[in-house]
Structure formats: structure tokens, C-alpha cells
Amino acid sequence: MSTAPQLVVHRDKDLMAQAAAARLITRIVDAQASRGSASVVLTGGRNGNGLLAALSAAPARDAIDWGRLDLWWGDERFLPEGDPERNVTQAREALLDAVPLDPKRVHAMPASNGPHGTDVDAAAATYAEELAAAADPENHGPVPTFDVLMLGVGPDTHVASLFPELPAVRETERTVVGVHGAPKPPPTRVTLTLPAIRAAREVWLLAAGEDKAEAAAIALSGAGEIQAPAAGARGRARTLWLLDAAAASQLPRSLYPPASA
């Protein structure tokens, strides 16, 4: 059962990235200590990449056993391998190329010049199969129970590539779908669905900047997930909103956490 969202508000986006990186290191180390390995879903965008860059610069990053970490993605731009706009390309630049990961445990979403060519729906189905193959019987579903799944929040309340009112946010059965005609370029994408997102132990939503203030207020004020996809992103054990002061500026005082860094 997921619980009510928890909020942490930081003074600015840099402090938010550093604190989130420290929090992620702790979660990964704890998971590896208790279960032997950890599973994390990465997000792109300025806040997701900012967190990865902060993690790369953190002295405590070496506490992680990078060879026992599975990395997945919440969504991807359906572009050729190595394209600078792909989330995995940006993640490699920010962090992944600097740490000793097991390449077999880095689960990038398919590219548009891969085996499926430009068939984004076939690419999405392949990623769903990869997730299902990694799920253990105790996961009780077609995806692993991710330790932490991170999502950036868009100004329109989109998370991953689940945009308001579009078919992907209405999906209740499949775990991964192709997105056609996304309102933000590029229009063709691969994304996890809300059922896959909600398989995670913890879901962290990252929002920094004044342009995210209205989206955070809408998503945290009881909006429906079809109109505000961020409202439907929940973890099994914890849902955590990590905000900077600008992104939290329109929240009702009743939601504002009593003690924030």
C-alpha cells in the first residue's frame, strides 16, 4: 500500500541535487546490504541529470558496490543510439562512464536504429520483456520491485513520457508503451506506464524552478492522474517529492513540510 506523499523542500536546485544524491547513495547501500543488490530507475531532464552529476562528485559514491546495481530508465526519446538527446547518453556523461558498472546490468531502452528499426511499439514490448525477465517470483508482477524510481516533473505535470490526457497515461495493463505525438519533442518515445511505476518501493519526484511550481501544486492538491500524471506516481512504501523553494512556492501551506533544509 502506498502512503501519502512526503515533501522535502531545499533552498535551491543545487542543494536539492546534492541532498537527493546523498539520499540515493544511502538507499542503494542499504538495499545492497539487505538483499545483495539494488535496482534503480533513472530519469532524464535537468533535475535527473543534476542529481547524477552531484552523485558523481560525491565522495560517498564509492560506498556503492556498482557491480551489484541494476539501472533502468523511466522513459527514453526514441532516437538513434548515442544521440545527445537520449537520456542514457546524458546519464553516461553525467555519471555512468565514471563508475564501474556491470554493463549487463545497465538496461537502456531501445534506440530507433536498433533491431526494431523505427517500430517504437515493438521496442517498448522488448523492454517490457526485459523487465519481466528480471522480475523475481516474490515481485508478484511483470516488473522488478525497484528500490528507487526517480521521475522529473514537467511544467504540464507529465512524468516519464506520460503526458496529460494522452493514451499512455490511461494504460492499465502493459508496463511499457510506445508514445506517438508527444507534445514535447521528440514526439516518439518509450515510457514506463503507471502500473510499472507503482511497482517501486519508493518513487521520488524531482521538481526545481519556478516553471514547476504550478505543476507541483496541481499534482499535490488532489488532481486526477489522467489530467495530472504526476499525481498517479506512487511508491509501494514511500512517495517522496524533492523540491526546491521555487518549485514549492505555490503549494498550499497545509502541504508545506514543517521542517525543510
Side-chain angles (χ1 to χ4, degrees):
M1 261 317 265
S2 60
T3 54
Q6 297 174 311
L7 279 66
V8 178
V9 181
H10 295 285
R11 184 178 62 245
D12 56 45
K13 65 176 174 47
D14 293 332
L15 186 59
M16 183 187 101
Q18 291 161 15
R23 191 184 291 271
L24 183 60
I25 290 168
T26 300
R27 290 290 175 277
I28 292 171
V29 170
D30 287 349
Q32 290 178 335
S34 61
R35 287 184 293 279
S37 64
S39 178
V40 172
V41 179
L42 301 181
T43 184
R46 67 174 190 248
N47 292 320
N49 291 324
L51 186 156
L52 294 181
L55 203 165
S56 181
R61 81 178 199 192
D62 295 332
I64 294 171
D65 184 340
W66 293 100
R68 293 190 293 134
L69 176 65
D70 281 285
L71 293 178
W72 303 87
W73 271 262
D75 75 320
E76 187 56 276
R77 293 149 179 173
F78 197 55
L79 297 167
E81 184 71 36
D83 190 289
E85 291 298 306
R86 274 175 62 83
N87 289 333
V88 66
T89 308
Q90 295 173 8
R92 290 189 189 285
E93 187 175 319
L95 171 69
L96 307 191
D97 285 346
V99 292
L101 292 158
D102 178 350
K104 294 191 290 295
R105 300 182 81 155
V106 178
H107 308 275
M109 285 182 159
S112 63
N113 59 345
H116 304 289
T118 56
D119 187 343
V120 69
D121 299 307
T126 294
Y127 203 68
E129 290 168 8
E130 190 172 349
L131 283 163
D136 294 323
E138 61 265 26
N139 294 147
H140 305 296
V143 298
T145 302
F146 311 113
D147 291 295
V148 176
L149 183 148
M150 295 181 287
L151 297 165
V153 179
D156 60 354
T157 73
H158 86 265
V159 290
S161 286
L162 302 174
F163 293 91
E165 307 283 355
L166 291 191
V169 77
R170 302 175 184 270
E171 180 64 46
T172 59
E173 299 296 328
R174 291 176 293 172
T175 57
V176 189
V177 295
V179 175
H180 305 263
K184 179 182 176 183
T188 310
R189 295 156 173 255
V190 179
T191 187
L192 298 189
T193 61
L194 287 176
I197 288 168
R198 294 197 280 243
R201 289 185 177 87
E202 297 195 14
V203 169
W204 297 2
L205 295 107
L206 314 175
E210 289 181 16
D211 62 325
K212 306 296 180 71
E214 186 178 6
I218 290 169
L220 285 163
S221 299
E225 62 193 38
I226 304 300
Q227 294 75 31
R234 302 186 293 273
R236 287 184 180 182
R238 191 182 202 199
T239 305
L240 186 64
W241 280 73
L242 301 172
L243 306 152
D244 74 349
S249 61
Q250 293 186 31
L251 293 179
R253 296 306 301 181
S254 59
L255 287 177
Y256 213 90
S260 291

